[in-house]
Structure formats: structure tokens, C-alpha cells
Amino acid sequence: QVQLVESGGGLVQPGGSLRLSCAASGRILSINAMAWYRQVPGKERELVAGITSGGSTNYADSVKGRFTISRDNAKNTVSLQMTSLKPEDTAVYYCNAQIRTTFLSSNYGAYWGQGTQVTVSS
């Protein structure tokens, strides 16, 4: 069993900052890429930022220069530092990780957290 648990969401004023964190636990042999997605009602879940096991990152155009993704491989955690937040950043944010759980297969499965609400409003 693998669990991803997010924390750090909440209500913030436009221009403010928030830091989201996600911790993976359970039977984990290794973690490949980790990422943050977000979703608003009626729309598809979209990639916000991703990071490889080696530390290479990629960002959605809408958050470049404002959000920073980082990870701690020793602790199996990934974080998202969000600054200069805008009302359009309001969404449920989900942590995602590609995790290998068994020596019997070299495949990595996709695991998701339960989501954390971020609301940007005055």
C-alpha cells in the first residue's frame, strides 16, 4: 500500500503565498517523477509542475516564475512553493508520484493524493 498525503492548502489573498507539501509512505522501492496537478469544477485536471528524480523541472506557462517545485528524495516528499497567487489559481491541488512498489516488476504505478483546496480571494 502506498499513500500520498498533501498539506498546506487554504485561503490566501491575491498576491500572497502558500506552500503545499506531499509525503509518500508505504511500500516504496523507488519514486520516479513527482508532480502537482490542479482541478476546478467542470474542467479537466491540469499539470501545474513536475520534477524528475534527478531534479529536472517543468511548469505550466500560467505558473512559470511564480511557482517552484522541489523534492526531498530521502524523505519521499515533494513541495510546491506558490507566490504572487491569483484568483485563477483557485483549485484543488493534487500530488502525483510514479512509484515502484515491488522487485517483481520494473514498472512504476501512478499514485495520487486526496487533494488540498487552495482558494485565492480577497
Side-chain angles (χ1 to χ4, degrees):
Q1 293 285 353
V2 172
Q3 281 190 318
L4 270 63
V5 179
E6 299 120 335
S7 61
L11 173 64
V12 64
Q13 292 186 340
S17 299
L18 276 177
R19 184 177 180 86
L20 305 182
S21 296
C22 172
S25 63
R27 194 168 71 176
I28 297 171
L29 292 183
S30 62
I31 301 178
N32 196 356
M34 304 183 82
W36 288 94
Y37 287 74
R38 66 187 181 188
Q39 188 171 25
V40 297
K43 292 190 175 182
E44 291 189 356
R45 193 170 295 186
E46 65 171 358
L47 176 67
V48 175
I51 184 167
T52 68
S53 57
S56 297
T57 59
N58 64 287
Y59 297 91
D61 288 342
S62 59
V63 306
K64 281 181 181 177
R66 300 189 297 122
F67 292 9
T68 302
I69 189 171
S70 61
R71 66 188 285 173
D72 185 329
N73 291 333
K75 297 181 179 179
N76 292 336
T77 60
V78 61
S79 298
L80 186 68
Q81 179 68 46
M82 304 184 293
T83 63
S84 301
L85 282 160
K86 305 174 181 180
E88 51 263 44
D89 294 318
T90 296
V92 177
Y93 284 71
Y94 296 91
C95 172
N96 170 271
Q98 298 174 6
I99 300 175
R100 182 185 177 191
T101 60
T102 174
F103 287 111
L104 300 179
S105 171
S106 60
N107 293 333
Y108 286 77
Y111 293 84
W112 293 89
Q114 80 285 357
T116 185
Q117 177 70 45
V118 172
T119 302
V120 185
S121 175
S122 56

